[in-house]
Amino acid sequence: MSRRIGLIDTPKELSPSTARKIFVWQMAFFAAVLTLSAIDNAYTVRADHAHAGDPIELWRPMVWESSSHLLTWLLIPAVSWLLIRFPITRQHWWRSLPTHVLATLPFSLIHTGGMVLMRQLVYRAVGARYDFGPFWDNWPYEYRKDFFTYLVILGSLAAFRVYGLWRDSHAAAGVVQATPPAGSMRAAAMPLDRLLVRKRNREFILDPADIDRIDADGNYVVVHAAGETYRLRDSLEGLLVRLGEQKFARVHRAHVVNIDRIREIQPWDHGDYRILLEDGSFLNFSRRYRSRLSHLFRQGS
């Protein structure tokens, strides 16, 4: 059972819009943290060598630390992808945790091998030689550090994901699922900024900007967004009004489109038209709706 906030179930998946924002934020966060860590470690290593009577040029520890931290940063999307498929939750952590423990092995092998290769290339470019030593003799030492690093990344990504779910849940408080009474639909002051839909017993919160088109399907509508489809018990006209007729337009008795997704409007048979969307799909544009949407012809002409 999912936790409830007010009358809305907490979503188990991030909306496409929130997922994109969270990805950018977490990558920027790790970039800042790892950059500062690399610089600090490089100066610390140089100072340690100087205290031991073995001074070295600053560029050497900079290469060591920056190569290690850059490889770590490049591996973060892979860890994020694995966390989505094996989430650490109260119900399923005992099934997901072994997968993540095993994942530390390829994580460390890729990280160690990649940083050694980067160091060798940089050293060769300046006419020097980098010697990591026997790989399998030195890798266990690197693995111990990578194991801890993986857990820190995993915990940080989980925190970002929880924050994203909280944002979507907070937005869901203003989502209206049922079609309002006919007399009140046109009086709605503001269009919806989130749409709650269900699929495979899961709940998703869509940003209307992510919707490509909406098709009528009997007593349901089919929402096409970000390459996915969602069935929603609603009327095409009712959903159009609630989403806002400034951004969405009815082009056929069975189709509503996001105006921003229209690539072309092409003449078709018997005075009708067809619409080419950004995803490459075509929709019929009935001439009966042309008078309502004359601005589309001005934009497309």
Side-chain angles (χ1 to χ4, degrees), residues 11 61 75 109 112-115 137 144 165 167 197 212 223 225 227 248 259 264 301:
L75 286 168
L109 288 171
T112 305
M115 76 177 187
D137 290 342
R144 288 195 297 270
L165 293 173
R167 280 174 56 91
V197 294
D212 298 307
V223 179
F248 290 85
I259 295 175
E264 296 178 15
S301 59

Side-chain angles (χ1 to χ4, degrees), residues 144-301:
R144 288 195 297 270
K145 295 190 296 181
D146 289 339
F147 183 88
F148 176 74
T149 299
Y150 184 97
L151 295 183
V152 172
I153 293 173
L154 192 66
S156 301
L157 292 175
F160 272 103
R161 180 172 172 78
V162 169
Y163 173 66
L165 293 173
W166 176 84
R167 280 174 56 91
D168 281 345
S169 297
H170 186 69
V175 173
V176 181
Q177 290 181 261
T179 303
S184 64
M185 289 188 345
R186 298 288 177 182
M190 295 291 291
L192 293 177
D193 60 359
R194 292 292 188 273
L195 180 67
L196 182 66
V197 294
R198 290 186 175 87
K199 185 174 182 178
R200 295 189 296 269
N201 295 322
R202 293 184 177 182
E203 294 171 346
F204 301 85
I205 299 177
L206 301 182
D207 186 331
D210 293 323
I211 297 175
D212 298 307
R213 72 179 196 270
I214 307 167
D215 301 331
D217 184 17
N219 293 327
Y220 292 81
V221 294
V222 179
V223 179
H224 299 258
E228 297 285 344
T229 59
Y230 308 90
R231 291 185 84 232
L232 181 66
R233 188 173 181 83
D234 207 331
S235 69
L236 203 61
E237 184 67 21
L239 188 55
L240 169 62
V241 171
R242 292 191 290 125
L243 288 173
E245 296 177 88
Q246 296 300 315
K247 291 294 185 180
F248 290 85
R250 190 163 188 173
V251 297
H252 188 272
R253 62 183 179 83
H255 305 301
V256 164
V257 298
N258 184 338
I259 295 175
D260 292 334
R261 293 289 195 271
I262 296 176
R263 183 188 300 176
E264 296 178 15
I265 300 177
Q266 305 172 350
W268 202 238
D269 294 335
H270 308 296
D272 287 341
Y273 294 80
R274 68 175 187 172
I275 292 175
L276 172 62
L277 299 180
E278 291 292 344
D279 63 3
S281 61
F282 287 93
L283 292 177
N284 291 333
F285 187 2
S286 176
R287 61 181 180 273
R288 64 178 290 194
Y289 294 98
R290 178 173 178 174
S291 60
R292 304 186 196 178
L293 305 173
S294 57
H295 60 288
L296 295 183
F297 289 88
R298 289 198 298 271
Q299 291 174 1
S301 59

Side-chain angles (χ1 to χ4, degrees), residues 12-24:
K12 299 175 183 177
E13 299 291 342
L14 297 176
S15 67
S17 176
T18 299
R20 288 194 295 268
K21 292 176 183 177
I22 290 297
F23 177 79
V24 172

Side-chain angles (χ1 to χ4, degrees), residues 78-91:
V79 180
S80 179
W81 176 86
L82 196 63
L83 179 62
I84 292 173
R85 282 146 186 81
F86 298 93
I88 304 297
T89 62
R90 286 182 297 178
Q91 295 87 357

